[in-house]
Amino acid sequence: MRTLVDLALAPEHRRGHGALYDGLNCGGLDVERFRMSLAALPLPRAADGRIVLAVDVSPWLRSDAQTSAERLFCHVHGRGKNAAQFVPGWPYSFVAALETGRTSWTAVLDAVRLGPADDETAVTATQLRGVVGRLLAAGHWRDGDNDILLVADAGYDVTRLAFLLADLPVELVGRIRSDRVLRLPAPPRRPGTNGRLPRHGGEFALSNPDTWPQPRHATTTRTTRYGTATASSWDRLHPRLTHRAAWLEHDGRLPIIEGTLILLRVERIPGTGAPKPIWLWSSRTGACPQHVDRLWQAFLRRFDLEHTFRLFKQTLGWTAPKFRTPEAADRWTWLIIAAHTQLRLARHLAEDLRRPWERPAAAGRLTPARVRRGFRNIRAKTTLPAGAPKPGKPGPGRPPGSKNRRPAPRHDVGKTIKREKTLAARLGQPG
């Protein structure tokens, strides 16, 4: 699907192309009811029975849409080295439940568009709180079950997310930059010394092995895809917070957010050069070696969400329409999530309509693209939720040759709210 007109001409649509545009531009969608319906569906679980949720941002690039409001500069990776760039677009934050094993399937549960005035970490915390609350209301988690595992990449402030979601039965694990400096636990008071107790221990510079103490646990695992994986973990490491940036509005003493630091080294990564070590931070302290292995394996499953984004854009046509308003883009995004959910629920009914050069897929192992290929045969046996089309004619539109006397307004790109950078500036004190 390249354009909305192509979708309107499909036999399943049963409406004119004008009705599709009007519905997306002026229609309505009960998003909260849809979210509750997604949370009530069966969810995939990890090998130990816990729910693993991944959160990530995917941009809808609109570089040439000067009349579209609420666009931000979205980070886009280039094909060459240091070829990344920032392109205007609408960034969307997705939350999906991950499956176990090597698969391209995820269960998308929520999507939120980030606006120019939004704090990304605060919006993500509110989004995750809503998803977890709906899962609890649907009965997917009960007292005594394992905590829900939330997986995030390096673009998130995972320690702040852990602080904001500390009252929920969740555990966060996320990648952190390799140039970070964390703090060890504060040492106990020595006999015969006076003064205030220290809050932080020595520095743990991720880029300087001389500052690393002996790891608490070290495990070695043989994998078929990455070769030998070695994980070393240190307990009760925390960042030293200051009254700047996200913590500027925090009243009183800043908290100490302790967790488990994990260093993951793998032997190889398919399709890339020499693998670099991966640093992970978990909000759980006192993790055993088995749980440390479970954390880094769950983090590697996070990349399944990248396959979902690729399916959205290349197969389902998520970013194909050229909407002007972000509200219409939100409605279309939820329709794409509904289509993906239908494919996921109907994958056991689809036949393997493979092309001559494709390998046969095992039973129950069809990819989302192959299920979508055979979905037309499944749809003919299902009920149609839409009513019969009503006869109608398109409007006359603007007369040929006339000028547009009401041009659409132009909108700037980027953030619209700036905050003071220091606590002294917020309190009106001289620097």
Side-chain angles (χ1 to χ4, degrees), residues 48-353:
D48 59 345
R50 74 173 68 232
I51 300 175
V52 181
L53 303 179
V55 57
D56 201 357
V57 174
S58 183
W60 183 336
L61 301 181
R62 297 304 311 276
S63 58
D64 54 347
Q66 299 180 2
T67 59
S68 296
E70 302 183 12
R71 292 182 302 158
L72 296 176
F73 288 105
C74 305
H75 182 267
V76 180
H77 292 280
R79 293 185 178 271
K81 184 178 180 180
N82 299 327
Q85 55 183 333
F86 289 90
V87 180
W90 291 316
Y92 280 84
S93 175
F94 290 88
V95 177
L98 303 180
E99 297 191 4
T100 183
R102 294 179 59 181
T103 177
S104 300
W105 288 100
T106 61
V108 181
L109 300 176
D110 192 34
V112 172
R113 178 173 48 83
L114 303 176
D118 290 338
D119 182 351
E120 289 82 358
T121 304
V123 172
T124 303
T126 304
Q127 182 185 18
L128 291 174
R129 182 177 294 275
V131 171
V132 173
R134 289 188 291 270
L135 294 181
L136 298 181
H140 291 292
W141 187 91
R142 296 179 177 86
D143 292 337
D145 294 347
N146 294 323
D147 289 344
I148 300 175
L149 189 60
L150 304 179
V151 185
D153 206 359
Y156 291 90
D157 189 351
V158 63
T159 55
R160 187 182 171 206
L161 283 177
F163 174 77
L164 296 176
L165 303 177
D167 58 325
L168 296 179
V170 299
E171 177 184 354
L172 279 92
V173 57
R175 181 167 61 173
I176 58 178
R177 293 169 54 96
S178 59
D179 57 355
R180 291 284 300 273
V181 177
L182 301 181
R183 291 285 183 164
L184 296 169
R189 182 192 293 274
R190 295 181 179 180
T193 59
N194 299 322
R196 186 174 61 179
L197 290 174
R199 301 192 68 201
H200 311 282
E203 291 187 348
F204 189 108
L206 276 58
S207 60
N208 185 9
D210 296 335
T211 62
W212 305 352
Q214 189 70 18
R216 180 179 181 182
H217 300 297
T219 62
T220 302
T221 307
R222 290 290 303 173
T223 64
T224 58
R225 184 173 179 82
Y226 304 103
T228 303
T230 304
S232 304
S233 64
W234 294 266
D235 194 24
R236 296 183 59 194
L237 267 75
H238 63 276
R240 184 171 183 175
L241 307 179
T242 59
H243 280 96
R244 293 178 180 270
W247 300 97
L248 181 62
E249 305 295 335
H250 186 84
D251 295 331
R253 206 175 194 184
L254 292 174
I256 294 180
I257 308 173
E258 294 184 334
T260 300
L261 182 66
I262 303 173
L263 172 61
L264 175 63
R265 293 188 178 97
V266 296
E267 191 175 5
R268 64 178 181 273
I269 297 180
T272 62
K276 297 181 179 180
I278 298 176
W279 289 95
L280 304 176
W281 186 90
S282 171
S283 60
R284 178 175 177 176
T285 57
C288 61
Q290 294 78 9
H291 190 68
V292 171
D293 288 340
R294 190 180 298 115
L295 291 176
W296 67 259
Q297 292 172 9
F299 174 79
L300 295 182
R301 290 264 60 85
R302 188 205 67 83
F303 295 97
D304 296 340
L305 194 54
E306 302 293 340
H307 296 280
T308 302
F309 294 155
R310 182 178 179 181
L311 179 77
F312 279 9
K313 296 180 180 181
Q314 298 185 4
T315 304
L316 300 183
W318 174 40
T319 58
K322 304 300 181 183
F323 297 118
R324 174 178 293 178
T325 63
E327 292 77 15
D330 295 343
R331 300 185 188 100
W332 178 250
T333 301
W334 281 107
L335 290 180
I336 293 297
I337 294 176
H340 181 262
T341 304
Q342 287 186 341
L343 294 179
R344 181 173 62 88
L345 297 177
R347 57 178 170 173
H348 65 283
L349 303 175
E351 298 180 1
D352 188 11
L353 303 179

Side-chain angles (χ1 to χ4, degrees), residues 373-428:
R373 193 180 304 163
F375 189 77
R376 174 165 289 183
N377 299 335
I378 303 175
R379 188 213 56 82
K381 304 176 184 178
T382 60
T383 59
L384 299 177
K390 299 179 180 179
K393 296 181 180 179
R398 194 170 62 200
S402 61
K403 296 183 179 180
N404 183 12
R405 301 185 182 278
R406 292 183 297 178
R410 267 55 176 173
H411 301 276
D412 296 331
V413 184
K415 292 287 187 179
T416 57
I417 294 181
K418 296 182 180 180
R419 299 181 302 176
E420 311 321 3
K421 296 183 179 181
T422 62
L423 180 63
R426 183 170 68 91
L427 298 178

